[in-house]
């Protein structure tokens, strides 16, 4: 007797299936497919048969099959492949992560400019960027999430694109999705807002309310981006779907089509959460950006309404209740910047202590404390808004 799919089962597109994955749900009755069982480990022949059936999505269990993580670990068993040309060598991993983030943003800026100029989008280059970010995220997850906080007012589009790609990959790994799917989500995240490149700059950077005509143009950007990707060689159906649906909401209040509930895939619902979180914490020409903890509070306020409640809870666990790059107040009257989150001790991250509130002075050199390793006198009392202290956390990452 076959067991029902576990709560850990994830839905993946058929084109992302690989030998060794463990199939738990085909989505069709036993009599309608040629396999002896409904659940089994995939090989090349079975994958080909599934594709021949015309099925587009199936469910797999990351805990079973060859390469499954031991003991149900939240970390994927197979690390992403590293391209030798970009390996970090023996240098400072954090410096490497920061440099790679900056390089990725510059590369995306160039690709977006090409798209605006009417030149074909080079999806192969996007996939290479996603692969490099995937490796860095695997080796230095907290550094990559922290450096996403480094923003400038005039580079929002490119920074947001890379951040959504990185956050989607981090989220997918936390959910233990197959590694090829993680990288595909990274590429999809990078191009999710490609439709905005077709909008006039005056609308994108407008600080005040939009006119009804301008707002309609904004609401059209998801389907326009999807159309652009459909015409782009190498763009996956996943990238098209996320570009088209990342502004849809599970209660049907989103746009451009007003889709809801089961009409939205898990990847689309993930992208909606990540997009909102990064957008509200971003610095723009007309918006100073909210602290990461405030961003989490905002998406949590939409749980079960516009955004998927279960996925929000998992996203918060993924990035931590005090995400890397947060500014926090300690019980000792000091301010500290969060460097690394602890998955098992969410309220006790690794921090750099930078400012003495009572003495009104910077701490030099700023010590690093791992709050999960003792230090009972140093408890986090609350998150702080960096703008209130004129202390940009990125200075201390």
């Amino acid at each position: 007797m076959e067991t029902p799919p576990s709560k850990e089962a994830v839905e993946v597109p058929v084109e992302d299936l690989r030998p060794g994955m463990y199939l738990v749900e085909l989505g069709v009755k036993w009599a309608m497919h040629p396999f002896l069982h409904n659940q089994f480990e995939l090989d090349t022949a079975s994958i080909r048969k599934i594709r021949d059936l015309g099925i587009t999505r199936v469910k797999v269990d990351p805990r079973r099959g060859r390469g499954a993580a031991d003991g149900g670990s939240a970390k994927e068993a197979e690390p992403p492949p590293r391209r030798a040309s970009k390996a970090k060598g023996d240098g400072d991993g954090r410096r490497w992560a920061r440099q790679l983030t900056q390089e990725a943003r510059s590369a995306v800026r160039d690709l977006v400019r090409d798209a605006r100029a009417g030149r074909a989008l080079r999806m192969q280059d996007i996939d290479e960027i996603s692969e490099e970010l995937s490796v860095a995220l695997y080796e230095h997850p907290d550094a990559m999430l922290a450096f996403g906080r480094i923003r400038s007012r005039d580079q929002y589009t490119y920074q947001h694109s890379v951040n959504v790609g990185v956050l989607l990959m981090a989220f997918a790994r936390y959910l233990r999705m197959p590694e090829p799917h993680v990288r595909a989500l990274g590429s999809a995240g990078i191009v999710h807002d490609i439709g905005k490149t077709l909008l006039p700059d005056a609308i994108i950077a407008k600080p005040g309310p939009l006119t009804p005509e301008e707002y309609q143009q904004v609401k059209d950007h998801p389907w326009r981006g999807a159309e652009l990707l459909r015409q782009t060689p190498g763009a996956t159906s996943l990238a098209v779907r996320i570009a088209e649906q990342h502004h849809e909401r599970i209660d049907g209040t989103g746009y451009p089509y007003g889709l809801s509930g089961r009409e939205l895939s898990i990847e689309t619902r993930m992208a909606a959460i990540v997009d909102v979180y990064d957008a509200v914490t971003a610095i723009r020409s007309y918006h100073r950006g909210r602290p990461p903890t405030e961003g989490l509070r905002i998406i949590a306020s939409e749980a079960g309404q516009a955004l998927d409640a279960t996925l929000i809870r998992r996203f918060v666990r993924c990035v931590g209740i005090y995400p890397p790059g947060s500014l926090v107040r300690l019980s000792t009257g000091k301010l500290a910047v969060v460097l690394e989150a602890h998955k098992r001790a969410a309220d006790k991250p690794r921090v750099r202590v930078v400012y003495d509130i009572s003495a009104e002075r910077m701490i030099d050199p700023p010590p690093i404390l791992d709050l999960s390793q003792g230090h009972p006198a140093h408890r986090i009392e609350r998150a702080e808004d960096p703008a209130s202290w004129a202390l940009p956390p990125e200075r201390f990452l």
Side-chain angles (χ1 to χ4, degrees), residues 28-45:
V28 297
K29 294 181 179 179
W30 178 79
M32 301 299 294
H33 66 70
F35 305 111
L36 183 61
H37 302 286
N38 287 318
Q39 300 179 12
F40 54 89
E41 187 173 297
L42 294 169
D43 57 19
T44 302

Side-chain angles (χ1 to χ4, degrees), residues 134-148:
S134 169
V135 173
L137 182 64
Y138 180 83
E139 298 192 359
H140 302 283
D142 291 286
M144 290 297 292
L145 295 181
F147 292 138

Side-chain angles (χ1 to χ4, degrees), residues 229-244:
L229 290 175
R230 287 189 180 99
Q231 300 166 21
T232 300
T236 64
S237 59
L238 177 64
V240 172
R241 184 169 67 252
I242 286 180
E244 194 163 34

Side-chain angles (χ1 to χ4, degrees), residues 179-372:
E179 190 58 35
H181 200 53
V182 170
R183 295 194 297 277
L185 272 167
S187 295
I190 291 172
V191 297
H192 82 286
D193 248 354
I194 195 67
K196 279 193 174 177
T197 66
L198 307 176
L199 293 175
D201 287 334
I203 291 180
I204 294 176
K206 187 173 182 179
L210 299 176
T211 66
E213 294 77 13
E214 290 170 337
Y215 185 51
Q216 186 58 52
Q217 289 188 61
V218 170
K219 291 175 68 176
D220 287 343
H221 87 263
W223 71 259
R224 293 182 70 186
E227 284 301 309
L228 176 61
L229 290 175
R230 287 189 180 99
Q231 300 166 21
T232 300
T236 64
S237 59
L238 177 64
V240 172
R241 184 169 67 252
I242 286 180
E244 194 163 34
Q245 299 179 9
H246 66 278
H247 282 291
E248 301 286 0
R249 299 293 181 257
I250 62 172
D251 60 1
T253 60
Y255 59 84
Y257 306 122
L259 302 178
S260 64
R262 291 184 176 275
E263 294 177 290
L264 302 174
S265 67
I266 184 173
E267 297 93 347
T268 298
R269 287 176 274 143
M270 290 166 61
I273 292 169
V274 167
D275 180 63
V276 172
Y277 170 76
D278 189 72
V280 300
T281 57
I283 296 173
R284 309 191 211 184
S285 58
Y286 55 88
H287 175 62
R288 64 180 173 85
R290 296 175 179 175
T293 49
E294 177 69 5
L296 294 178
R297 188 196 65 77
I298 288 171
I299 62 173
S301 70
E302 297 290 338
Q305 301 174 54
L307 302 174
D308 187 296
T310 299
L311 287 176
I312 285 176
R313 287 194 294 271
R314 293 180 178 178
F315 180 70
V316 172
R317 295 190 194 110
C318 171
V319 299
I321 59 175
Y322 300 108
S326 300
L327 183 69
V328 296
R329 180 193 289 256
L330 302 179
S331 56
T332 53
K334 309 290 195 305
L335 296 180
V337 174
V338 176
L339 300 178
E340 297 178 14
H342 285 286
K343 298 298 185 282
R344 295 183 180 178
D347 60 337
K348 297 177 181 179
R350 188 166 175 261
V351 302
R352 190 188 305 273
V353 185
V354 299
Y355 188 76
D356 187 320
I357 297 173
S358 59
E360 297 184 342
R361 64 176 179 82
M362 302 297 295
I363 299 174
D364 189 23
I368 294 177
L369 299 177
D370 188 337
L371 301 184
S372 70

Side-chain angles (χ1 to χ4, degrees), residues 33-89:
H33 66 70
F35 305 111
L36 183 61
H37 302 286
N38 287 318
Q39 300 179 12
F40 54 89
E41 187 173 297
L42 294 169
D43 57 19
T44 302
S46 59
I47 292 172
R48 187 183 305 115
K49 289 179 181 179
I50 291 172
R51 290 172 178 166
D52 289 343
L53 288 171
I55 295 171
T56 59
R57 302 180 69 79
V58 300
K59 287 187 177 181
V60 300
D61 190 339
R63 301 177 306 168
R64 302 165 71 182
R66 283 179 286 127
D70 293 335
S73 168
K75 196 173 186 178
E76 79 287 352
E78 178 187 0
R82 175 189 290 176
R83 297 171 68 243
S85 61
K86 292 289 186 179
K88 71 179 177 64

Side-chain angles (χ1 to χ4, degrees), residues 161-184:
S161 297
V162 173
N163 282 7
V164 168
V166 169
L167 285 165
L168 270 178
M169 286 193 287
F171 197 5
R173 282 214 182 108
Y174 180 82
L175 296 177
R176 301 176 66 246
M177 290 182 169
E179 190 58 35
H181 200 53
V182 170
R183 295 194 297 277

